[in-house]
Amino acid sequence: MILSFVADERKILTAKELHTSVAMKQYAWWKVCVKEFTYCRSIQRIEENSDLTLNIDRNSNESAFNFGVLDRNGSAVHCRENDFRSKIVNKIADEVLQGGVPKDHPAAVGEEGPEEKHVDIGRTRQDMNLARQIVSFLPPFVPSSSTRVTNEQCIKDSERYLQELDDLALWALLMHDSSAKLPPGLLNGNVNQYGDLDQCLNVRSPRKGGVIKGRYCLTTMSFHLSDPDHPLLSHVRELLLSHGMLRSELDDPGHRVPRFSAVHWALCVPASCNSSDVQLALADTLQKHAEGTGITFKVRVAAGMCQTKDDKLHLPLSTIIVSLVFVVVTAFAAFATACDLNWSSAEQKLSTWRKLVQAFSLRKNAVALFSLSRSTDDIESVHGVRAINALLLLVAHKCMAFFFNPYTNRTVMTEDLGRSWTSFTRGACLYTDVFIMLSGMLTSYSFYKQLERKKRLDVPWEYLSRLMRLVPNLVALILFCTFILPWTGTGPLWNQVVQHHSDICKNTWWHNFLFIHNYFGFESMCLTHTHHLGIDTQLFFLSPLFVYAAWRWPRIGFSVLAGVASVSTALRYGVTYSKRLSYFVIYGSSTKQLFQSADLSYTLPAHRATAYVIGIALGFGLRYCGRDYRLKKMHFTLGWTTAVVCFYMAIISPAHMASRYYVYNPTEAANFAAFAPIFCCLFLAWIIFMSYIGHGGLLGRVLSWRGFLVTTRLSYAFYLVQFPIFFYGVGKNRVTQSYSVLLLIDVPEMMVIIAASILLTLLFDLPFQNIRKIMQELKAVE
């Protein structure tokens, strides 16, 4: 940047010609010009009794100045700024100058020097004041403010941005306006500020050799106190971080569990500046302001959290191919529906290939999905238990996504969620244990019937049947979430909760198809919520051995089952106590503790087998007792009393652990992990058994409502699609909301989940169930 100074009767001095300190005497005439932008600015007459000194700091850059006014003793009072205009032009104009430039002075008539073209833009004093107020009251952020930034183009574009912001250029104002600003309510937890992503991405300004575009970066910061027990700062920090309901570090994975105690702050910078430039500059800026305060900052700006408008202009070939696959499947379903409407309704007259085509008929599958007819061998109350359990699990999963979003009153939210009634969402592991129990029950109930009729189990067929039930939906979801979903939107957290998960699936998808993904940890697991499928499938592969042993040698078989359940319970207790884990999400849990609880226990079938064994025993009990089984009154009373006690121990007793003031106790955590699943499963097992033999009362009749048959058919797809839809909403969210517990009840989102579940069931689940039935018929003929 080349500066020209017009002083003392038309004498022109360039910046390089000035001495280290130049005394500017009173009544001097000044003009400051910028050759690079052919821009000229008039500085008016100095009328002061004291001298004005101008110092050029050559070590930083030529636009960095020290200047000040000599006091009455002759000592210079210095101040420092990086923008020469805000210091030289605005400061002098507002504090020193009073009059105007004489009409005959070069600064007024606009005479040109031999090289510089002086252009008078007619900037008014009001414009200068407005620019100064914007810069001083809402200081802009530029990566060039850090001496550690060496990106030359970034430095040039940043300086251009500051210069044109001072000139009130619209594009610079838009960039400045897009960055987050200090909001009200910081002590109410309103610390996460997303700025304006769309406005930032739309910033454009021509420059020599290209265009200055906006780059949106969502930075992540944490701050710590040198004195954690400081009476004031510690309390302020607690309010800023909403009492630390979930404690996290900057290096914690943030794609499925939020970095709750970190601060997200949006910055809009020139696109030539990369994430490293922003991180260095932001760290230096925060350190400068925090110096001497006892507060230290850590800053992280991940490359994936910076985005420009050009990031998603071209669809990759993989996305196009996968999209065509879904189009072909949908088109084939429409074709099958048209064929089904024209073929005979007598399916036994259809050839095998026509039956295979008809298996994809939307009409046929819709009728099957919404049918309320049940088989004579149905366990009626299971459908109601499954539906209610699925709804509770949905709420628990929603809470995890809930914590990603910014709220103006997040501290109020965490105080509200620190009450005992929230325990039903804190112990979400209980709901997955119920699904494991139901799976074991239905498996043993079916296998027992086969053993009674055929005296053997067709294990290969059972395995194949199981895979045909699970794989099609899983494949469709992985393909969609990996190759299509990342291209359906944008948002401040989009790359973190959607794109990053897609990248993981591209590398680890085969783990899911082999149903071993639960052994590789939450951090690197594709579709983390499907860990349950791995656990359930691995236990299912062992179920023929368990069921056959219990049927063929009851005492030995049930002794083995009891031993497996005992070992599984002991494993949960031991690792929870020794590693200080927690199945229950207590107030103040750390992200590290949650991930360790999942990786070391929650996702391992050996630690979850207790619920499956209870289910196997329940399935045997239902078959052995039959529907006409009669209980004595004493047994009836004892059973219901035990069930109520189990409900209390599983749901009510741990409620105190949800309190904001609860202090982690490894013994209580181990007791919950080991015994709460047992109590919960025994409570529901008793209800299912009593409903099966006709003594379930009103509760049994409600759970046996025929409408729950539809929810059972949708339950698998419902379980699969909810997390991607939750995080689609988190990724696209651009606004800060005011917390209300009613936000958990998002009717449009629920409608989308139900619609996606129906679509996935009609296009993939039921068609392959029809194919399985056709294969079974062919197998029976042979």
Side-chain angles (χ1 to χ4, degrees):
M1 183 175 295
I2 301 176
L3 309 183
S4 294
F5 294 84
V6 181
D8 294 333
E9 304 295 334
R10 305 192 182 194
K11 181 180 180 181
I12 298 176
L13 297 176
T14 65
K16 292 183 179 180
E17 293 173 332
L18 294 176
H19 296 290
T20 304
S21 179
V22 178
M24 297 184 290
K25 301 296 183 179
Q26 58 183 344
Y27 303 111
W29 298 95
W30 292 88
K31 194 171 189 179
V32 182
C33 304
V34 184
K35 179 180 178 182
E36 182 179 355
F37 304 112
T38 63
Y39 171 90
C40 183
R41 190 180 269 155
S42 295
I43 300 299
Q44 302 176 21
R45 187 175 53 178
I46 299 177
E47 294 184 10
E48 277 288 333
N49 293 325
S50 57
D51 291 342
L52 190 70
T53 62
L54 173 64
N55 296 328
I56 300 178
D57 185 358
R58 295 176 179 271
N59 295 326
S60 57
N61 56 68
E62 291 187 351
S63 64
F65 290 87
N66 290 323
F67 83 101
V69 177
L70 295 177
D71 61 20
R72 298 183 182 275
N73 297 322
S75 301
V77 181
H78 294 287
C79 54
R80 182 177 180 84
E81 282 269 346
N82 283 334
D83 184 359
F84 78 93
R85 274 181 279 198
S86 64
K87 268 304 187 187
I88 303 298
V89 179
N90 295 332
K91 188 71 175 179
I92 295 177
D94 287 343
E95 296 185 5
V96 181
L97 306 180
Q98 300 296 329
V101 180
K103 295 181 180 181
D104 59 347
H105 195 277
V109 300
E111 295 184 5
E112 299 179 5
E115 297 181 356
E116 290 79 12
K117 180 179 180 181
H118 297 165
V119 180
D120 187 0
I121 65 170
R123 180 172 182 177
T124 66
R125 185 180 181 85
Q126 183 179 8
D127 295 333
M128 297 168 64
N129 285 337
L130 178 58
R132 190 194 79 250
Q133 291 297 336
I134 291 175
V135 172
S136 61
F137 184 68
L138 299 172
F141 172 85
V142 286
S144 61
S145 62
S146 172
T147 58
R148 293 192 293 165
V149 174
T150 59
N151 184 340
E152 293 185 4
Q153 190 60 55
C154 174
I155 294 173
K156 289 181 180 179
D157 289 347
S158 297
E159 291 177 350
R160 168 76 178 273
Y161 160 55
L162 288 179
Q163 292 161 6
E164 299 216 13
L165 178 62
D166 197 36
D167 298 336
L168 298 182
L170 181 59
W171 75 270
L173 288 173
L174 291 173
M175 181 173 286
H176 180 52
D177 185 50
S178 300
S179 293
K181 309 295 188 301
L182 284 177
L186 288 173
L187 298 184
N188 204 8
N190 188 24
V191 294
N192 295 312
Q193 297 297 313
Y194 285 173
D196 194 323
L197 179 143
D198 298 300
Q199 180 173 280
C200 178
L201 297 185
N202 286 322
V203 168
R204 292 288 187 277
S205 176
R207 64 168 165 79
K208 185 178 180 180
V211 176
I212 297 180
K213 299 182 294 185
R215 181 183 296 277
Y216 177 92
C217 290
L218 189 64
T219 68
T220 307
M221 300 174 286
S222 64
F223 61 96
H224 308 273
L225 304 178
S226 58
D227 180 11
D229 298 323
H230 190 286
L232 175 61
L233 292 182
S234 60
H235 187 59
V236 169
R237 183 179 185 274
E238 181 183 7
L239 294 176
L240 288 171
L241 300 183
S242 302
H243 305 299
M245 188 181 71
L246 289 176
R247 292 182 291 108
S248 59
E249 300 293 337
L250 294 188
D251 294 331
D252 289 334
H255 60 290
R256 278 300 176 262
V257 178
R259 300 188 188 102
F260 192 81
S261 55
V263 175
H264 289 109
W265 200 266
L267 294 173
C268 187
V269 298
S272 56
C273 303
N274 56 42
S275 59
S276 298
D277 299 329
V278 176
Q279 180 169 311
L280 290 173
L282 182 58
D284 288 351
T285 300
L286 292 175
Q287 184 62 34
K288 175 183 177 182
H289 287 287
E291 187 175 356
T293 63
I295 303 174
T296 58
F297 288 90
K298 291 183 179 180
V299 177
R300 181 182 181 187
V301 184
M305 298 307 290
C306 290
Q307 48 189 304
T308 63
K309 197 169 186 178
D310 300 333
D311 288 345
K312 295 187 176 182
L313 288 182
H314 305 290
L315 290 176
L317 181 61
S318 57
T319 298
I320 296 174
I321 293 175
V322 172
S323 300
L324 289 175
V325 169
F326 281 99
V327 171
V328 169
V329 170
T330 305
F332 186 76
F335 169 76
T337 305
C339 293
D340 182 34
L341 294 174
N342 290 294
W343 289 341
S344 172
S345 61
E347 294 189 13
Q348 64 273 17
K349 296 180 181 180
L350 297 177
S351 61
T352 301
W353 76 268
R354 286 194 173 189
K355 289 182 180 180
L356 290 174
V357 173
Q358 192 185 49
F360 289 85
S361 169
L362 295 175
R363 183 199 65 83
K364 178 181 179 179
N365 291 328
V367 170
L369 174 60
F370 295 104
S371 173
L372 298 182
S373 61
R374 63 168 90 242
S375 67
T376 56
D377 208 23
D378 189 30
I379 308 174
E380 297 87 350
S381 59
V382 166
H383 306 294
V385 171
R386 191 196 302 270
I388 295 174
N389 194 69
L391 184 61
L392 291 173
L393 186 61
L394 175 106
V395 174
H397 285 168
K398 174 66 175 178
C399 285
M400 188 57 68
F402 200 62
F403 298 148
F404 277 89
N405 293 325
Y407 299 97
T408 58
N409 54 343
R410 192 172 69 151
T411 301
V412 173
M413 178 190 78
T414 58
E415 291 172 353
D416 198 17
L417 296 179
R419 305 181 191 279
S420 298
W421 63 268
T422 63
S423 63
F424 79 97
T425 63
R426 305 290 188 88
C429 61
L430 298 180
Y431 309 134
T432 56
D433 278 311
V434 170
F435 280 125
I436 291 175
M437 182 202 73
L438 295 179
S439 177
M441 180 200 70
L442 295 173
T443 297
S444 66
Y445 189 78
S446 174
F447 284 179
Y448 189 100
K449 182 178 180 179
Q450 291 185 44
L451 290 171
E452 288 293 304
R453 293 174 57 188
K454 301 179 180 179
K455 310 301 180 185
R456 65 182 182 86
L457 291 174
D458 189 350
V459 177
W461 170 254
E462 294 297 335
Y463 286 169
L464 178 61
S465 179
R466 174 79 174 186
L467 293 177
M468 292 188 68
R469 172 74 175 90
L470 298 181
V471 171
N473 281 14
L474 184 61
V475 170
L477 187 70
I478 289 178
L479 288 176
F480 181 81
C481 292
T482 304
F483 297 104
I484 297 179
L485 185 61
W487 297 89
T488 60
T490 60
L493 283 178
W494 185 266
N495 289 344
Q496 178 174 305
V497 300
V498 177
Q499 181 64 56
H500 180 62
H501 208 72
S502 168
D503 296 336
I504 292 176
C505 286
K506 289 176 182 177
N507 296 321
T508 64
W509 58 268
W510 60 275
H511 296 166
N512 297 65
F513 291 163
L514 293 177
F515 294 97
I516 58 174
H517 53 296
N518 53 304
Y519 288 107
F520 292 88
F522 258 41
E523 183 175 351
S524 58
M525 190 186 302
C526 171
L527 299 178
T528 53
H529 65 293
T530 63
H531 66 273
H532 169 78
L533 296 181
I535 297 171
D536 191 47
T537 301
Q538 292 157 31
L539 291 172
F540 178 82
F541 284 163
L542 296 175
S543 62
L545 177 62
F546 291 152
V547 174
Y548 183 83
W551 175 79
R552 184 69 177 81
W553 307 286
R555 290 187 178 182
I556 296 177
F558 278 102
S559 296
V560 170
L561 289 176
V564 169
S566 299
V567 171
S568 178
T569 302
L571 287 174
R572 291 197 306 277
Y573 187 96
V575 73
T576 302
Y577 185 87
S578 62
K579 300 294 184 179
R580 298 183 67 85
L581 309 180
S582 182
Y583 271 50
F584 191 92
V585 183
I586 65 173
Y587 214 99
S589 293
S590 67
T591 301
K592 180 179 179 181
Q593 185 185 46
L594 294 179
F595 273 85
Q596 285 185 334
S597 300
D599 296 342
L600 299 179
S601 182
Y602 183 62
T603 60
L604 303 180
H607 290 239
R608 306 292 298 282
T610 305
Y612 200 80
V613 168
I614 293 174
I616 290 177
L618 176 59
F620 264 88
L622 297 178
R623 284 293 186 187
Y624 179 80
C625 296
R627 295 185 181 275
D628 298 328
Y629 188 76
R630 293 291 179 266
L631 286 175
K632 295 181 180 179
K633 185 176 181 180
M634 178 184 66
H635 295 159
F636 183 86
T637 303
L638 180 61
W640 276 110
T641 301
T642 303
V644 171
V645 171
C646 287
F647 176 82
Y648 174 83
M649 295 300 295
I651 306 299
I652 306 300
S653 178
H656 71 284
M657 297 168 64
S659 170
R660 179 157 64 96
Y661 304 102
Y662 176 76
V663 178
Y664 174 81
N665 185 313
T667 301
E668 287 189 324
N671 284 332
F672 179 86
F675 303 114
I678 297 176
F679 293 134
C680 185
C681 289
L682 289 178
F683 167 69
L684 293 175
W686 175 256
I687 292 176
I688 292 172
F689 179 77
M690 294 303 294
S691 300
Y692 185 78
I693 65 175
H695 291 282
L698 177 62
L699 179 60
R701 290 193 295 273
V702 171
L703 295 176
S704 301
W705 177 55
R706 287 181 178 271
F708 287 131
L709 287 166
V710 179
T711 63
T712 290
R713 300 185 188 109
L714 289 174
S715 60
Y716 179 42
F718 187 81
Y719 175 76
L720 289 180
V721 304
Q722 56 186 255
F723 252 108
I725 292 175
F726 287 154
F727 284 99
Y728 174 85
V730 170
K732 281 186 66 67
N733 181 46
R734 287 161 162 77
V735 300
T736 301
Q737 297 174 291
S738 177
Y739 159 76
S740 168
V741 71
L742 296 179
L743 290 176
L744 282 173
I745 308 172
D746 192 332
V747 176
E749 185 178 65
M750 180 62 72
M751 293 298 101
V752 172
I753 292 175
I754 293 174
S757 302
I758 293 174
L759 192 62
L760 188 62
T761 302
L762 292 178
L763 291 178
F764 295 95
D765 191 351
L766 291 178
F768 282 91
Q769 293 308 303
N770 294 333
I771 293 175
R772 181 180 63 84
K773 292 177 183 177
I774 295 171
M775 293 173 61
Q776 193 171 19
E777 292 173 359
L778 295 175
K779 181 175 176 292
V781 171
E782 295 176 358

